[in-house]
Amino acid sequence: MKRTMWGTLLVTVVVLAAVAVLLSRRMTGDILSMAAAARKVGRGDLDVKAPVSSTDELGVLARSFNTMVADLIEARDELRVVQGKLTTAREAERERVALELHDSIGQYLVAMHMSLAGAIASMSDSTDDKSLASLKRIQEQCGDLVT
């Protein structure tokens, strides 16, 4: 009777040890899979899914991880849209400033061109040819910049 009891006890201990080893390997495998998935996400790979193989705490954790990755993908896509809008707005502002500068400088150059034309006309008789030629050259350069 004692031998049967010891034999049964030994078989029970061996079976329980085997079950414990199998369960720990399964849990360790799930945890290692989650850790690998987390490393990939940390490197920017958002095409990863954590395997959901149970409904226990590890399964809940895996589903939560997958939800987080989906939220990251959505946030990244929204950020890209906003970045595109920002780039478009920045380019439009550059064009507006360039046009504004061109228009205001153009007005000053036209005014200078006209002032030089008036000065040349009034000085034609009383100034030497060299000075007059220099003023005409400046007037032509102003005209070239305006057109």
Side-chain angles (χ1 to χ4, degrees):
M1 177 108 156
K2 280 187 172 185
R3 282 188 178 180
T4 307
M5 192 178 353
W6 283 110
T8 306
L9 182 62
L10 182 62
V11 169
T12 303
V13 168
V14 169
V15 169
L16 287 175
V19 168
V21 168
L22 290 175
L23 285 175
S24 69
R25 282 189 180 170
R26 186 183 145 265
M27 287 178 51
T28 303
D30 289 347
I31 291 170
L32 291 175
S33 294
M34 290 275 302
R39 280 192 299 277
K40 286 181 181 179
V41 169
R43 288 191 301 268
D45 180 4
L46 298 181
D47 294 327
V48 65
K49 296 279 185 207
V52 180
S53 59
S54 65
T55 57
D56 61 2
E57 292 85 356
L58 286 175
V60 170
L61 182 62
R63 278 190 292 285
S64 295
F65 180 86
N66 291 337
T67 300
M68 178 194 69
V69 171
D71 291 345
L72 285 172
I73 290 170
E74 186 178 329
R76 179 195 60 193
D77 293 345
E78 288 175 8
L79 184 60
R80 285 181 178 164
V81 168
V82 169
Q83 188 177 20
K85 288 178 181 179
L86 182 60
T87 300
T88 300
R90 195 177 319 138
E91 288 300 319
E93 180 64 12
R94 280 187 197 151
E95 289 176 16
R96 186 193 64 76
V97 167
L99 184 61
E100 191 175 300
L101 285 172
H102 176 269
D103 288 350
S104 93
I105 289 173
Q107 290 173 0
Y108 290 122
L109 288 172
V110 167
M112 186 184 295
H113 184 267
M114 292 173 60
S115 295
L116 284 169
I120 290 169
S122 68
M123 297 172 59
S124 296
D125 297 333
S126 63
T127 311
D128 64 74
D129 290 340
K130 192 173 182 182
S131 297
L132 196 58
S134 179
L135 284 175
K136 285 182 181 179
R137 193 169 46 255
I138 293 171
Q139 180 191 21
E140 287 173 9
Q141 290 172 347
C142 286
D144 291 343
L145 290 173
V146 172
T147 56

